[in-house]
Amino acid sequence: MNNLGPPDVRDPGEPSPGGGETIALLSESFTAQTVTALRHLLTAQVAATGLTGDVAEDLVLAVHELVTNAVLHGGGSGRLDLFRQADLLICEVTDHGQERAGDLPVHLPATTTPGGRGLWLAHHLTGALTLTRRPDGLTATVTASLPPGPSGGSEATTDRPPFP
């Protein structure tokens, strides 16, 4: 997927990306008061899967941006779900915002514009961002490939997407 293009927008009835058995690793509700604790919990869970280095840091930062967006623009709270499916880590951040998925800006705003970079960062850092509109809000999904080994998948991904 082009890491600078628009995100995929899938129908709520479609399954999450990936294939094979889905293993739940983390499922936590959050508010503005719990964002930092959630980031630490997510960091530990990501490390436990064997994902390390830039890819792990980029995933955690991308999810942190999505969680922050949910708090600021999605009703003040949300839910984070982290899954493992085959050699993928899949993280879904769900909120109760009223914006339509197609109306959300995923482009890099002008340097004179304050804010507005969260979705772009999430998309850029992971190379994959899917926005799913539901009747009661929005789910933003990002993924990362797991490294080979006992806790990881079959293929390593260690390169950070290039910044333009």
Side-chain angles (χ1 to χ4, degrees), residues 66 91-95 119 129-132 138-142:
L66 296 173
C91 191
E92 297 179 346
V93 176
T94 303
D95 67 34
L119 292 177
L129 171 64
T130 303
L131 301 175
T132 305
L138 185 76
T139 298
T141 305
V142 290

Side-chain angles (χ1 to χ4, degrees), residues 26-35 37-38 41 67 77-81 94 96:
L26 179 63
S27 185
E28 294 286 326
S29 294
F30 60 84
T31 64
Q33 292 76 27
T34 61
V35 168
L38 181 63
L41 189 57
V67 167
S77 65
R79 180 159 208 83
L80 182 147
D81 291 293
T94 303
H96 300 288

Side-chain angles (χ1 to χ4, degrees), residues 4 6-7 38 48 59 70 78 86 97 117 122 124 146 154 161-162:
L4 295 177
L38 181 63
L59 179 65
R117 290 164 180 80
H124 188 77
L146 290 167
S154 59

Side-chain angles (χ1 to χ4, degrees), residues 39-75:
R39 183 175 177 151
H40 292 298
L41 189 57
L42 176 66
T43 300
Q45 282 295 335
V46 167
T49 68
L51 194 64
T52 60
D54 289 344
V55 175
E57 291 173 11
D58 288 352
L59 179 65
V60 171
L61 178 56
V63 172
H64 180 76
E65 289 295 327
L66 296 173
V67 167
T68 301
N69 277 355
V71 168
L72 295 175
H73 309 291

